Amino acid sequence: MTRKVPMGAAALILAAGEGTRMKSALPKVAHRILGAPLVRYVVDAARSAGCDRIVVVTGHGAEAVELLVDGEPCVRQEKRLGTGHAVMSASEALSGLTGSLVVLSGDSPLLRAETIRRLVDARETSGAAAIVLTTVLEDPTGYGRIVRDVDGRLEAIVEHKDLTSDQLSITETNTGTYCFDAEVLFTHLTRLGNENSQGEYYLTDMIALLRAEGLVVDDIAAAESTETLGVNSRVQLAEAAKVMQSRINNEHMLAGVTMTDPNLVWIAPSVVIGRDVVLEPMTFLLGSTTVADGCTIGPDSRITDSRIAREAVVDSSVVTGAVVGVGATVGPRAYLRPGTVLDARARVGTSVEIKNTTIGEGSKVPHLSYIGDATVGKDVNIGAGTITCNYDGALKHRTVIGDGAFVGSDTMLVAPVTIGEGAITGAGSAIAKDVPAGALGVERCEQKNVDGWATRKRAAKKTDQE
Ligand code: UD1
Ligand code: CA
């Protein structure tokens, strides 16, 4: 028999809860690990599992959460009356849905796409009304427990607060991840009650309800229990971040990235890294950053939403919204702000800040400079202490520096100003007028030397002390 092509399942992500245990003004699923909000991990897992329709239930802090789900449709659960009630809020949005509906918790960021696929496959192969993803936990405190009949078949899920004393020892738990037959789920949903310790409509009660109807319910175990961690507190948020960090780092190392100490490297899920990249300790690669083959990054570097080309080096620097060209070097202690483009082999050195500026091929800004709103040509040398005075208090102005120019140390470039090709500026000059190509621009009082002055002064001081 040929295996069925997995049909598109729908996914419903429950994300309306407040997350009281987080003690936060922010809704729980908006908390971040490795720079990405919890709910986004769940949306991405559902997508990569092949769910072709995704609906998110929002409620507490709905506006904030709705901005984080990458355009997926949301339904509002106005009153939070439990996980069963959250599913009821989506019944209109999903009306007429047939086939598999995966229900996921917005607070379970570690669940793998592969596991969602297994869950859907299990339901579609068996035709069950519901499949529950379970796991055995050493400490099951707080989780719903899996209650089985004498034949070992799934009979019910009992919430921690509703356990009888002889059920307390059950360590097999409900992960809060399910695959339902959508039609069966919605036709039985209205029969959920709220007679329990929390007065909530529990989605977990569907299991006993469906069993009582004589329908097939079953379960599969998660491959690893860490995958099912639900984040309810900041302690669990840190635990989840640790697991995600090592999962992502292992994938990169297996794909050819060297990490001196993977415990001290943090990479967001969306980051793309080439081969033979070396990541030194205390490196953060965040947002939509890409790092091409052969780069060395770190130690002590944070790169966000930036593109780093082949063979570039970034040492002890902060890079945001920038492009670093092939073989370019950055740092130590440089700050590249949005709109910075370093062309091939450009060099930005110690304590240099650059913003909204292109630095041409082979050009150097080696020490202690601020270059903002500028276009710098090829093979330019910018001396130590150079500053573009780009802001007059009201408007930003551009500085243009032609190919091969040499800007002397401590030049103030008062924008708008243009330094022509191959021109030179004298050290310490405040250049407020354009310097033509090939010219010297110098703005300085003439130096006066007073012969013997220093020697006489020292001698006078010595006589005073005697
Ligand atoms: C739930 C399960 C429990 C399971 C555990 C696994 C129920 C009743 N219990 O408990 O069996 O072991 O997950 O992590 O389902 N939510 C809403 N609207 C609501 C209530 C909750 O959208 O009215 C959302 C929350 O935002 C959260 C998810 O549903 O993303 C789970 O809710 P939560 O309160 O965290 O349930 P648990 O107590 O963890
Ligand atoms: Ca939870």
Side-chain angles (χ1 to χ4, degrees), residues 426-429 442-446:
S429 298
V442 61
E443 182 274 342
R444 226 193 253 160
C445 294
E446 210 164 296

mmCIF file of all heavy atoms in Angstrom, residues 426-429 442-446:
data_model
loop_
_atom_site.group_PDB
_atom_site.id
_atom_site.type_symbol
_atom_site.label_atom_id
_atom_site.label_comp_id
_atom_site.label_asym_id
_atom_site.label_seq_id
_atom_site.Cartn_x
_atom_site.Cartn_y
_atom_site.Cartn_z
ATOM 1 N N GLY A 426 43.920 68.518 6.295
ATOM 2 C CA GLY A 426 44.947 68.640 7.321
ATOM 3 C C GLY A 426 44.397 68.213 8.671
ATOM 4 O O GLY A 426 43.236 68.501 8.992
ATOM 5 N N ALA A 427 45.235 67.563 9.473
ATOM 6 C CA ALA A 427 44.799 67.103 10.795
ATOM 7 C C ALA A 427 44.254 68.274 11.596
ATOM 8 O O ALA A 427 44.764 69.386 11.508
ATOM 9 C CB ALA A 427 45.983 66.457 11.521
ATOM 10 N N GLY A 428 43.209 68.027 12.331
ATOM 11 C CA GLY A 428 42.659 69.045 13.214
ATOM 12 C C GLY A 428 41.824 70.106 12.528
ATOM 13 O O GLY A 428 41.414 71.076 13.168
ATOM 14 N N SER A 429 41.522 69.940 11.249
ATOM 15 C CA SER A 429 40.761 70.967 10.533
ATOM 16 C C SER A 429 39.257 70.800 10.732
ATOM 17 O O SER A 429 38.763 69.680 10.807
ATOM 18 C CB SER A 429 41.051 70.879 9.026
ATOM 19 O OG SER A 429 42.412 71.131 8.774
ATOM 20 N N VAL A 442 42.800 72.679 4.545
ATOM 21 C CA VAL A 442 43.347 72.790 5.897
ATOM 22 C C VAL A 442 42.736 74.017 6.545
ATOM 23 O O VAL A 442 42.562 75.058 5.906
ATOM 24 C CB VAL A 442 44.910 72.807 5.880
ATOM 25 C CG1 VAL A 442 45.458 73.983 5.091
ATOM 26 C CG2 VAL A 442 45.477 72.809 7.304
ATOM 27 N N GLU A 443 42.379 73.914 7.817
ATOM 28 C CA GLU A 443 41.740 75.025 8.520
ATOM 29 C C GLU A 443 42.350 75.006 9.913
ATOM 30 O O GLU A 443 41.995 74.184 10.740
ATOM 31 C CB GLU A 443 40.224 74.790 8.562
ATOM 32 C CG GLU A 443 39.427 75.896 9.212
ATOM 33 C CD GLU A 443 39.334 75.731 10.719
ATOM 34 O OE1 GLU A 443 39.573 74.623 11.234
ATOM 35 O OE2 GLU A 443 39.010 76.720 11.375
ATOM 36 N N ARG A 444 43.333 75.884 10.124
ATOM 37 C CA ARG A 444 44.114 75.794 11.343
ATOM 38 C C ARG A 444 44.824 77.122 11.529
ATOM 39 O O ARG A 444 45.264 77.719 10.547
ATOM 40 C CB ARG A 444 45.197 74.746 11.075
ATOM 41 C CG ARG A 444 45.407 73.736 12.133
ATOM 42 C CD ARG A 444 46.693 73.044 11.800
ATOM 43 N NE ARG A 444 46.501 71.708 11.293
ATOM 44 C CZ ARG A 444 47.409 71.052 10.590
ATOM 45 N NH1 ARG A 444 48.541 71.616 10.256
ATOM 46 N NH2 ARG A 444 47.168 69.838 10.184
ATOM 47 N N CYS A 445 45.000 77.618 12.752
ATOM 48 C CA CYS A 445 45.828 78.811 12.974
ATOM 49 C C CYS A 445 47.273 78.397 12.760
ATOM 50 O O CYS A 445 47.645 77.264 13.015
ATOM 51 C CB CYS A 445 45.674 79.303 14.411
ATOM 52 S SG CYS A 445 44.023 79.896 14.716
ATOM 53 N N GLU A 446 48.066 79.345 12.331
ATOM 54 C CA GLU A 446 49.469 79.011 12.117
ATOM 55 C C GLU A 446 50.123 78.737 13.465
ATOM 56 O O GLU A 446 49.842 79.402 14.457
ATOM 57 C CB GLU A 446 50.171 80.153 11.400
ATOM 58 C CG GLU A 446 51.312 79.652 10.543
ATOM 59 C CD GLU A 446 51.733 80.718 9.541
ATOM 60 O OE1 GLU A 446 50.887 81.074 8.670
ATOM 61 O OE2 GLU A 446 52.845 81.206 9.663
#
